[in-house]
Amino acid sequence: MLLPDDFFASLVERVDDVIWAVSYPHFQLEYLNPAAVAVFGRPTQAFMDDSRLWLTIVHPDDRDDVAASHDRLLQLGTVERRYRILRPDGEQVWIHDRAWLMRGQRGEPLRLCGVARDVTREMAEQEQLNSTLKLHRRFIESATDPIFLARVEPDDTFVFHYNNPAHRQLTGISLEALRSQTPDTLLEASQAATVKAHYRECVRLKRPIQYEERLDLPAGARDWQTLLVPVEDAAGNVIELVGIARDITPLKEAERKSRDAFEALDQLLQASPVVIYECLPTPDLIPISISSSVERLFGYVRDELLNRPIWQDMIHPDDMVQSLAKVHALFAGEGPIQLNYRLRHRDGHYLQVQSEKRLVLDTGGHPIKVVGAILDVTGTYRLSQRLEKLGQQLPGFIYQYLLTPSGEGRFLYASSSSMVIYGATPDELAQSDTAAFGVIHPDDRYSVKTAIETSAENLSHWHCEYRIRHPQGHELWVEGLATPERLEDGSVMWHGYIADVSERKRLQLELEESEARFRRLASVDMLTGAPNRRHFMHRLDAELTRVKRHGVDSCLVMFDADHFKRINDTFGHAAGDDVLKALVSTGREALRAHDMLGRLGGEEFAILLPDTSFEGAVTLAERYRQAVADLQVDTGDARIRLTVSLGVAALRTNDSSDSAMERADKALYAAKTSGRDRVCREGEETGDVTIG
């Protein structure tokens, strides 16, 4: 059942979005809902009185683009734009405006309409989010530890393709000198063999490994502690190695030197953000030496910590179990460990730290001490937490999506709101995009993938609306926005946002359905369901244009019910209405699919017969006359028999709609005056009417 029109009017009056309509070609504002007062800060009547007020309040920097978008709207039929408007109080408001061009039956522009909403808060949040994401992207570039990337080739070779500024500075190898090189081309043979052995071990185990090495590089011979992390594709093949190196030359030198040299090393470490220490080789990790930077970072004087079991007292209780498990793994011989936990500052607050620990053995393989380093990463950790909280507060979810050159996709980052949109956790999406694409509506999946491929190829802004069949059983409309960037390995990474727009889409579809219903009401006779006079005349004009241009045969038939006034007077107007309906329904059965039967008014009707010869039109008219003569209309207690009189005229190349209607009407008049219940046609040569 269709909802009443006043329901839609009330709905439009109550929504928060601004809904507007402008006539074409005069661009006079036809409608503006009350939401405009809150958004624009001006009464709706002000816009009604001044058709240029809307463009006047647009920010000067955006005015030319908004004006130009009107031309695109007329060309494309739809346009979407964002711009700023200035309220009377001087406040600047961002507007997201979606506009459509409504056309008439012949494709002529009728009006412009649209929905505008205030996206000021969204734009501010997006700007803040973009700033945060840039900080994350710059993290590797600004990391103090050297980082490098190496591709794993199918022939079991390793090709370097990236190193960060810290690596370039500490090794003396520029990015240009490193790119496309292998260990064999960068190192001497024995060192290259050792490096490749580590790389092969990491690929074989498919898990991170950590090791120490001494390399001769352009910047000199250095000792490194390297964490090697494998990166797998969707099939589980290791395709890349990420190396995070730490220059441990000072530590190695400290091991090779006597304790007397430690003070000199300690002076060098005072300026470092890292706390370096030595502990007894027991799980209590009692410090026997520690750099003086501990006072600057944690507020403790070294004497307060040395030779005391202080570590387990400083660590946050919630991090104790996991950290102790890794320490036991260290003493079990599993190699150096990395820890992330919270340590208590002397004044009571906790700092997020990253710690590395290594068990040092003597020549007999017996543990003699634990050496390690602690780095305060509180700032980076809090930044990550703020990003996650921001993602949880947004109505949709923010993400980073990576598409490799081979076509594998996954979400490098997804906020926890991914469960609301896709029904998938961030961890699932980090492994593969299968869970996300699997719930996209089958009818929309191709268009979404095509939009992504186009964005990847052109690095153009990605914007898409599509449906989601959520695993919990409901369906929703979502809108996705993202900006792509190409990475050095040819992959493309998007930084974007996806929001649930189901309610907005529902209103849009209901509005479109309502407009289609109103267009139909404007072209159909309400009693019989036949095209009304206005619609029929439009079709007649179009057919005359086709006759003039292509010389095709077409004909016009006019008819009415014989003695219709007598039927109304005898049986009543309700019976007369039933007769008119019967004439139309009989016409639908007797005529062809492309013929048009329209009601001109009262009991007067006309039939347009495209691509029909004059003789063919007479035959069709006679068939319809006979079908009506055989008809019985049951109405109330009465059964009515009726007849019709018809006049046939051929459309001519010099005809107007009036002249064609006049000739057909004369033929109809002749049928009436010559006895009714018959078909008459115009004379073929003289124009006199003859009875068919």
Side-chain angles (χ1 to χ4, degrees):
M1 182 182 72
L2 293 176
L3 295 172
D5 295 342
D6 58 350
F7 170 80
F8 296 100
S10 175
L11 183 64
V12 170
E13 293 287 310
R14 293 174 181 272
V15 297
D16 295 330
D17 291 344
V18 178
I19 300 177
W20 56 269
V22 176
S23 67
Y24 182 89
H26 303 295
F27 297 106
Q28 181 63 41
L29 185 64
E30 293 181 329
Y31 177 75
L32 189 65
N33 71 339
V37 177
V39 175
F40 298 128
R42 293 171 173 83
T44 56
Q45 189 60 41
F47 292 95
M48 292 290 185
D49 295 339
D50 183 1
S51 61
R52 293 188 56 83
L53 178 57
W54 195 320
L55 188 59
T56 302
I57 68 174
V58 173
H59 193 285
D61 293 345
D62 300 338
R63 199 167 293 156
D64 290 342
D65 289 339
V66 173
S69 69
H70 282 63
D71 295 332
R72 295 198 306 274
L73 176 58
L74 294 175
Q75 292 176 353
L76 304 177
T78 182
V79 71
E80 189 164 355
R81 55 207 176 181
R82 283 199 176 189
Y83 52 90
R84 294 161 290 178
I85 61 103
L86 300 175
R87 294 167 54 96
D89 58 6
E91 181 183 1
Q92 178 177 292
V93 178
W94 274 97
I95 298 296
H96 185 99
D97 190 7
R98 301 187 66 190
W100 300 270
L101 174 63
M102 295 178 57
R103 297 183 180 274
Q105 293 294 327
R106 293 177 296 172
E108 75 279 12
L110 294 180
R111 64 175 52 85
L112 312 177
C113 61
V115 179
R117 61 188 175 95
D118 182 350
V119 294
T120 306
R121 180 177 179 182
E122 176 185 330
M123 292 295 289
E125 292 175 343
Q126 186 64 40
E127 182 177 354
Q128 181 180 0
L129 175 61
N130 290 339
S131 175
T132 302
L133 290 175
K134 286 180 181 178
L135 289 175
H136 277 271
R137 290 196 295 271
R138 293 173 181 169
F139 177 77
I140 291 179
E141 288 288 306
S142 61
T144 57
D145 287 338
I147 299 174
F148 63 89
L149 304 177
R151 290 193 303 273
V152 180
E153 300 293 344
D155 60 356
D156 198 33
T157 59
F158 306 93
V159 180
F160 299 108
H161 64 91
Y162 172 79
N163 62 341
N164 71 341
H167 188 279
R168 299 166 205 165
Q169 179 182 359
L170 293 176
T171 64
I173 303 175
S174 67
L175 178 60
E176 293 73 18
L178 176 122
R179 187 178 288 138
S180 301
Q181 299 298 312
T182 67
D184 295 302
T185 58
L186 286 178
L187 302 170
E188 66 92 21
S190 62
Q191 292 184 355
T194 302
V195 166
K196 290 190 293 183
H198 290 309
Y199 290 3
R200 293 191 186 100
E201 181 71 3
C202 184
V203 171
R204 183 183 68 82
L205 296 175
K206 291 187 177 181
R207 62 174 176 80
I209 65 171
Q210 188 167 313
Y211 54 88
E212 293 180 3
E213 58 188 354
R214 184 171 181 83
L215 301 176
D216 294 318
L217 300 172
R222 306 293 291 177
D223 293 291
W224 301 98
Q225 184 183 74
T226 301
L227 173 66
L228 204 59
V229 180
V231 177
E232 300 178 31
D233 60 14
N237 300 314
V238 178
I239 59 173
E240 187 176 54
L241 298 176
V242 180
I244 305 173
R246 172 141 316 164
D247 182 2
I248 60 170
T249 304
L251 286 176
K252 299 299 289 185
E253 290 176 350
E255 293 175 9
R256 290 189 289 265
K257 294 178 181 179
S258 66
R259 289 293 301 270
D260 293 338
F262 182 81
E263 290 299 326
L265 178 61
D266 188 49
Q267 293 298 317
L268 294 174
L269 294 175
Q270 287 183 11
S272 172
V274 178
V275 175
I276 297 176
Y277 56 87
E278 293 181 355
C279 296
L280 293 175
T282 66
D284 291 334
L285 297 177
I286 298 174
I288 55 176
S289 177
I290 192 167
S291 63
S292 57
S293 54
V294 70
E295 184 173 354
R296 184 178 70 254
L297 293 180
F298 295 101
Y300 290 97
V301 177
R302 279 189 289 187
D303 290 343
E304 296 180 89
L305 305 176
L306 292 176
N307 302 309
R308 297 179 183 179
I310 192 67
W311 179 68
Q312 294 187 26
D313 292 334
M314 293 177 62
I315 194 170
H316 194 286
D318 294 344
D319 301 335
M320 177 68 72
V321 174
Q322 183 179 7
S323 299
L324 280 177
K326 287 193 173 184
V327 169
H328 287 299
L330 172 70
F331 286 101
E334 295 186 12
I337 60 172
Q338 284 191 334
L339 300 174
N340 283 282
Y341 53 85
R342 288 161 288 181
L343 278 181
R344 189 182 70 248
H345 191 277
R346 195 175 192 279
D347 64 11
H349 70 276
Y350 283 89
L351 299 175
Q352 189 74 30
V353 301
Q354 178 180 319
S355 176
E356 296 184 2
K357 304 183 190 300
R358 184 170 62 88
L359 183 62
V360 179
L361 307 176
D362 60 17
T363 55
H366 303 103
I368 56 175
K369 60 183 174 181
V370 173
V371 298
I374 298 176
L375 175 66
D376 179 11
V377 294
T378 305
T380 302
Y381 179 78
R382 288 175 178 171
L383 181 63
S384 177
Q385 291 295 101
R386 286 199 297 270
L387 178 61
E388 182 61 28
K389 289 181 180 179
L390 174 62
Q392 294 172 355
Q393 294 170 0
L394 293 173
F397 85 100
I398 56 176
Y399 65 91
Q400 286 180 316
Y401 176 71
L402 179 72
L403 184 65
T404 67
S406 58
E408 289 84 17
R410 62 190 181 92
F411 290 77
L412 297 181
Y413 172 80
S415 64
S416 57
S417 300
S418 63
M419 285 292 296
V420 177
I421 299 297
Y422 287 128
T425 66
D427 289 340
E428 291 176 295
L429 297 177
Q431 297 299 319
S432 170
D433 59 9
T434 302
F437 278 97
V439 296
I440 296 177
H441 194 287
D443 294 343
D444 299 341
R445 199 171 295 152
Y446 176 79
S447 62
V448 173
K449 289 190 174 182
T450 300
I452 292 174
E453 291 169 359
T454 301
S455 177
E457 181 178 355
N458 303 327
L459 293 183
S460 55
H461 183 73
W462 180 74
H463 174 229
C464 206
E465 282 189 358
Y466 52 95
R467 289 163 290 179
I468 295 293
R469 288 180 170 176
H470 199 277
Q472 293 184 354
H474 60 278
E475 184 172 290
L476 62 152
W477 276 93
V478 299
E479 179 180 36
L481 301 165
T483 302
E485 64 171 306
R486 197 174 306 282
L487 306 183
E488 291 183 356
D489 64 348
S491 300
V492 177
M493 182 166 62
W494 285 266
H495 311 277
Y497 173 74
I498 295 177
D500 182 351
V501 294
S502 300
E503 182 63 17
R504 188 190 76 194
K505 197 68 179 180
R506 182 184 66 79
L507 293 175
Q508 175 189 333
L509 295 176
E510 289 179 352
L511 180 61
E512 291 172 354
E513 180 182 348
S514 177
E515 290 174 347
R517 181 164 59 86
F518 288 145
R519 286 195 297 270
R520 183 177 181 277
L521 291 176
S523 62
V524 175
D525 174 57
M526 295 298 294
L527 174 63
T528 64
N532 59 19
R533 182 183 188 92
R534 176 176 174 273
H535 185 43
F536 185 89
M537 296 304 292
H538 281 165
R539 280 288 303 274
L540 177 58
D541 288 337
E543 187 62 18
L544 285 170
T545 300
R546 202 169 69 90
V547 169
K548 294 173 184 178
R549 183 174 299 168
H550 303 292
V552 296
D553 291 332
S554 293
C555 294
L556 176 66
V557 178
M558 294 186 65
F559 73 92
D560 65 9
D562 296 329
H563 303 298
F564 183 74
K565 184 176 185 302
R566 184 184 305 168
I567 293 174
N568 271 338
D569 293 343
T570 303
F571 300 102
H573 288 282
D577 289 346
D578 290 338
V579 167
L580 296 178
K581 294 176 185 177
L583 289 176
V584 172
S585 62
T586 302
R588 292 196 180 106
E589 297 174 359
L591 299 176
R592 301 165 301 181
H594 62 278
D595 299 332
M596 173 182 273
L597 187 156
R599 184 185 181 193
L600 303 183
E603 73 274 20
E604 186 178 16
F605 295 85
I607 305 173
L608 184 61
L609 303 172
D611 299 312
T612 306
S613 66
F614 188 64
E615 292 301 325
V618 172
T619 301
L620 283 169
E622 177 59 31
R623 185 168 70 191
Y624 176 67
R625 183 202 65 77
Q626 186 60 49
V628 174
D630 295 338
L631 182 66
Q632 291 187 130
V633 180
D634 293 326
T635 173
D637 296 329
R639 176 169 293 177
I640 302 173
R641 302 293 296 260
L642 69 151
T643 60
V644 290
S645 300
L646 305 97
V648 183
L651 300 184
R652 303 172 183 173
T653 56
N654 61 347
D655 260 340
S656 66
S657 57
D658 289 338
S659 63
M661 294 281 285
E662 182 179 359
R663 293 200 316 280
D665 191 58
K666 286 182 179 179
L668 170 60
Y669 180 75
K672 287 287 191 182
T673 58
S674 59
R676 297 183 173 84
D677 190 20
R678 64 192 62 207
V679 176
C680 287
R681 50 182 165 178
E682 64 177 352
E684 295 180 354
E685 294 180 353
T686 65
D688 296 331
V689 173
T690 60
I691 300 174

